[in-house]
Amino acid sequence: QVQLVQSGAEVKKPGASVKVSCKASGYTFTSYYMHWVRQAPGQGLEWMGIINPSGGSTSYAQKLQGRVTMTRDTSTSTVYMELSSLRSEDTAVYYCARGTTMVRGVIVYWGQGTLVTVSS
Amino acid sequence: QSALTQPASVSGSPGQSITISCTGTSSDVGSYNLVSWYQQHPGKAPKLMIYEGSKRPSGVSNRFSGSKSGNTASLTISGLQAEDEADYYCCSYAGSSTSVFGGGTKLTVL
């Protein structure tokens, strides 16, 4: 069965960077796009970006361009999301979420979420 | 990439039907039949309920249905049950390999 296991909670100071990992199993890692979605406390879902694990190509939400980087390691079936220049507004639960074989495809499976807290 | 517009809250009594709207633009909802709907209970990850506008994944009750007209998509839940109380989010493909979510709607079952 499809499983997405994310790294643990992080506490960071403003201006720092955070890197969240998401290890996939139960399917062919390079065949399915992976999204990152975040949710601030008490707020809605925000789409952050998408990565093609096969070639590593990415597309990011305009709002996060320049601060977010998504990468993958095909040898360990793991995708990473790094967010830099952290601000208090970046405090959120970050989810990796598997899409389909097409970049336009729907998000089907979700990781358990990783809480990132930005506080001085 | 502005968020899609959803009502903040809707409510209904058990057995009734409710509809949640999701309004976008001609660049997202209006251009693609690629709207999905997610249910989220407190503290849980979202769950896919509808995809490609009106398709239901295996295991999702047929009480859930989706539709679209122009730049607005809709989720209808019929025969409301207590366990339907949750937050609901729409999501649309928005071109150039991007997607956008709605602001979310809190459903209260009275």
Side-chain angles (χ1 to χ4, degrees):
Chain A
Q1 72 283 21
V2 174
Q3 280 197 308
L4 303 173
V5 179
Q6 299 183 221
S7 49
E10 304 260 15
V11 179
K12 296 291 183 181
K13 293 193 183 302
S17 296
V18 68
K19 192 170 185 177
V20 179
S21 68
C22 170
K23 184 172 176 59
S25 62
Y27 68 96
T28 302
F29 176 71
T30 51
S31 293
Y32 294 84
Y33 285 83
M34 192 75 80
H35 301 252
W36 287 90
V37 177
R38 71 179 179 177
Q39 186 170 35
Q43 303 300 309
L45 301 173
E46 179 183 11
W47 186 84
M48 299 179 67
I50 187 171
I51 182 169
N52 180 351
S54 178
S57 61
T58 56
S59 179
Y60 303 133
Q62 197 169 1
K63 171 183 176 182
L64 297 172
Q65 288 272 6
R67 289 208 299 138
V68 67
T69 304
M70 296 175 189
T71 57
R72 94 290 188 220
D73 181 345
T74 56
S75 68
T76 60
S77 299
T78 302
V79 295
Y80 300 90
M81 187 285 301
E82 184 169 22
L83 189 62
S84 62
S85 302
L86 289 169
R87 330 163 167 156
S88 58
E89 310 90 88
D90 295 318
T91 293
V93 174
Y94 288 76
Y95 292 101
C96 61
R98 201 205 80 173
T100 68
T101 56
M102 300 180 296
V103 70
R104 302 181 174 196
V106 66
I107 294 172
V108 183
Y109 298 97
W110 297 72
Q112 84 274 20
T114 296
L115 176 61
V116 174
T117 303
V118 182
S119 174
S120 54
Chain B
Q1 286 179 342
S2 299
L4 307 176
T5 301
Q6 298 181 231
S9 63
V10 298
S11 63
S13 299
Q16 288 187 329
S17 295
I18 62 95
T19 297
I20 299 171
S21 61
C22 169
T23 301
T25 70
S26 57
S27 297
D28 38 61
V29 175
S31 284
Y32 309 97
N33 197 24
L34 293 173
V35 173
S36 50
W37 289 90
Y38 299 87
Q39 176 192 68
Q40 187 181 36
H41 287 109
K44 301 292 188 181
K47 174 187 175 184
L48 178 65
M49 306 302 285
I50 295 287
Y51 67 102
E52 292 178 10
S54 60
K55 298 178 181 178
R56 270 189 317 274
S58 173
V60 171
S61 171
N62 60 9
R63 297 185 298 105
F64 291 82
S65 62
S67 63
K68 190 188 90 165
S69 177
N71 296 338
T72 299
S74 298
L75 172 72
T76 297
I77 309 173
S78 59
L80 267 181
Q81 299 179 2
E83 60 259 35
D84 299 333
E85 185 162 295
D87 294 325
Y88 291 84
Y89 295 90
C90 60
C91 180
S92 176
Y93 181 71
S96 301
S97 302
T98 67
S99 294
V100 60
F101 279 96
T105 298
K106 181 176 180 61
L107 169 62
T108 300
V109 179
L110 302 170

